[in-house]
Amino acid sequence: MQWTVMQEGRFQACGETQRRLPPGGYSCSSDNCGKPLFQVRQLESDQLLQVPGSLADEVIEEINRFWTIGERYEQLGFLHRRGYLLYGKQGGGKSSVIQQVVSNTVAAGNVAFYCGHPYHFVNCLTQFRRVEPDRPLVCVFEDIDAIIKDFGDSLLLQWLDGNHQIGNAVNLASTNYPEKLEPRIVSRPRRFDRIVRIDAPCARLREAYLSVKLPEQNGAERQHWVDRTDGFTFAALSEL
């Protein structure tokens, strides 16, 4: 236990404490007194497939490398941060890329935070950095166009490259409707360093997916379904 420092020389026992949040994914909100609250998220998903040489694999490997070059960012006078905006039609694999990055981050002993409400998110992350100033983290903005529609983009812009930005962080956003995003979100460098279109999987990726899901198929049978599913998203393949 530790002591909470209150106003006018008053102190209060604050209960059991620990130095670091357990590795995992967290939603950001506030309690009834407006204090930041971190809620553990259950990171359940379908089996995550990482296919060497795919665009998704390229993004994941690039982020893995990013964590190792913080010293270079510091030498150049930049915050050690990077942003990705993934776009494409529903079921194409954007969420799978995000889940893989989050899974890798948690496996390395670090944390990921999901933005539902920008005010609560910024409030929570500001407090997090006071407690853990250097810990690597991933910030997830799924369906960022919907977040902006509900809450505006002012706080998000401050987070991405304004007064609220932090280092040792990767920002991951996704959208099905990039045309709904204002140019000030997508066109200014350093808000999102890479804007990546995630298309329906090519024949090689469909074959890899079917090989894992249906290993009992022979080569001719698998090729038959690879040919028949041109244009299918991963979601459509799973339904098939």
Side-chain angles (χ1 to χ4, degrees):
M1 295 180 66
Q2 293 183 328
W3 296 103
T4 299
V5 179
M6 306 180 72
Q7 294 179 346
E8 299 177 357
R10 293 181 297 166
F11 300 86
Q12 188 178 63
C14 63
E16 184 179 356
T17 64
Q18 58 186 61
R19 293 184 180 276
R20 290 161 59 92
L21 281 180
Y26 292 86
S27 298
C28 299
S29 61
S30 300
D31 64 14
N32 292 334
C33 298
K35 294 181 179 179
L37 181 65
F38 301 86
Q39 178 63 52
V40 173
R41 289 174 64 109
Q42 298 302 318
L43 300 177
E44 297 177 356
S45 67
D46 291 340
Q47 181 183 12
L48 299 175
L49 305 178
Q50 191 168 344
V51 181
S54 67
L55 179 59
D57 180 64
E58 177 187 320
V59 171
I60 291 165
E61 289 303 316
E62 186 176 296
I63 291 173
N64 289 341
R65 179 174 177 272
F66 163 81
W67 295 122
T68 70
I69 57 175
E71 199 172 283
R72 179 62 173 158
Y73 276 72
E74 185 177 351
Q75 288 172 352
L76 295 171
F78 296 130
L79 281 176
H80 186 215
R81 63 175 179 83
R82 191 155 178 81
Y84 293 81
L85 175 63
L86 311 179
Y87 75 96
K89 61 183 179 180
Q90 295 178 348
K94 300 183 297 298
S95 294
S96 294
V97 175
I98 291 173
Q99 288 165 356
Q100 185 70 67
V101 172
V102 169
S103 177
N104 292 349
T105 301
V106 172
N110 296 309
V111 287
F113 300 102
Y114 289 77
C115 177
H117 190 302
Y119 172 79
H120 296 315
F121 175 83
V122 171
N123 199 27
C124 282
L125 268 292
T126 299
Q127 185 184 69
F128 176 83
R129 268 296 180 248
R130 287 201 294 265
V131 179
E132 300 189 41
D134 302 314
R135 192 175 184 185
L137 58 92
V138 170
C139 304
V140 180
F141 306 87
E142 291 186 294
D143 297 320
I144 191 172
D145 53 291
I147 297 173
I148 292 172
K149 179 181 177 182
D150 290 340
F151 304 107
D153 62 11
S154 177
L155 273 175
L156 287 180
L157 293 177
Q158 288 295 309
W159 178 260
L160 293 172
D161 69 349
N163 294 333
H164 295 310
Q165 62 184 311
I166 62 174
N168 230 12
V170 168
N171 295 312
L172 280 179
S174 67
T175 179
N176 298 326
Y177 308 103
E179 67 277 3
K180 293 184 178 181
L181 296 176
E182 295 288 342
R184 62 178 175 270
I185 293 288
V186 296
S187 296
R188 179 169 170 174
R190 293 287 283 156
R191 284 182 177 160
F192 291 109
D193 303 282
R194 287 198 64 182
I195 299 176
V196 184
R197 178 173 175 172
I198 305 294
D199 286 315
C202 64
R204 185 173 68 87
L205 296 182
R206 297 198 303 278
E207 182 179 10
Y209 182 87
L210 293 172
S211 296
V212 171
K213 297 299 185 184
L214 300 171
E216 70 278 5
Q217 283 186 333
N218 60 45
E221 186 178 11
R222 182 174 302 124
Q223 188 60 50
H224 167 78
W225 287 110
V226 170
D227 294 339
R228 290 284 300 275
T229 54
D230 184 32
F232 276 40
T233 62
F234 283 116
L237 285 174
S238 70
E239 179 65 15
L240 175 67

